[in-house]
Amino acid sequence: MSASPDEPAAEPANPESPDLDQAISRVEHELGRLFARIRVSWREAATTVHPDLQPLGYQVLTSIATGKATSAGAIIERLQTDKSAVSRHVRQLEQLGLVESVRDPDDRRARVLVATELAQERVALARSRYEERLGERLRRWSAEDLDHFAELLAAFGD
């Protein structure tokens, strides 16, 4: 953000400032709390889909259900996890009737993973519960604060 013509420009932060160190420490702490809450949300969503499903299995399933990753290699790349974990979760998803391996319509020699109708229904239920909880929290903020928060998150992610 830039200063208005009536206000002096902000001084660049002193990289050795104790205040800056404290602020960084607080951000690290709050990110840890946020990540813990996200892990709890994944666990709850996985249980909504099936009581035996693990959070990583839920992430594998949503990658398949959204079409963002329909092969083991694409899932590994998307989730930045190892092949054996993905194979194990795909196998479990198939056993639970949530995923099927079908011939790739573009390459009849290859196979792709697709979510079953049951999986689509369960993922939609889990997502709606998550979005409801998230919406309850975010609706406490103004649209301006939400826009600023989104900008800060985008900048942090770059």
Side-chain angles (χ1 to χ4, degrees):
M1 300 208 293
S2 61
S4 72
D6 298 332
E7 298 175 30
E11 297 268 333
N14 175 355
E16 298 191 23
S17 161
D19 291 341
L20 184 60
D21 290 342
Q22 288 177 343
I24 289 170
S25 180
R26 182 162 180 235
V27 167
E28 289 173 342
H29 172 76
E30 293 303 326
L31 283 173
R33 288 185 58 217
L34 177 62
F35 294 151
R37 184 176 299 271
I38 290 168
R39 284 191 300 273
V40 167
S41 294
W42 285 338
R43 190 175 324 116
E44 290 171 354
T47 301
T48 298
V49 172
H50 192 279
D52 296 334
L53 192 60
Q54 296 295 310
L56 181 57
Y58 175 75
Q59 292 176 41
V60 170
L61 178 59
T62 58
S63 295
I64 295 166
T66 59
K68 293 180 179 169
T70 58
S71 69
I75 295 167
I76 291 164
E77 178 69 25
R78 179 171 169 74
L79 300 180
Q80 294 296 297
T81 192
D82 62 280
K83 185 177 180 177
S84 63
V86 169
S87 295
R88 186 171 54 254
H89 287 290
V90 167
R91 200 168 33 257
Q92 180 191 31
L93 292 168
E94 288 175 322
Q95 291 168 351
L96 295 173
L98 298 169
V99 167
E100 296 174 339
S101 175
V102 299
R103 288 191 189 278
D104 185 338
D106 298 328
D107 179 356
R108 305 294 287 165
R109 298 167 294 167
R111 300 194 67 79
V112 293
L113 300 167
V114 295
T116 64
E117 189 174 319
L118 174 63
Q120 293 289 358
E121 291 169 5
R122 299 261 176 96
V123 167
L125 176 61
R127 292 282 316 147
S128 70
R129 289 179 179 172
Y130 171 76
E131 288 169 359
E132 184 178 319
R133 286 191 309 271
L134 184 62
E136 286 173 12
R137 289 180 170 281
L138 294 179
R139 283 184 190 12
R140 298 176 194 161
W141 295 11
S142 70
E144 181 180 294
D145 285 346
L146 289 171
D147 285 340
H148 186 225
F149 182 56
E151 289 171 9
L152 291 172
L153 283 174
F156 184 70
D158 286 345

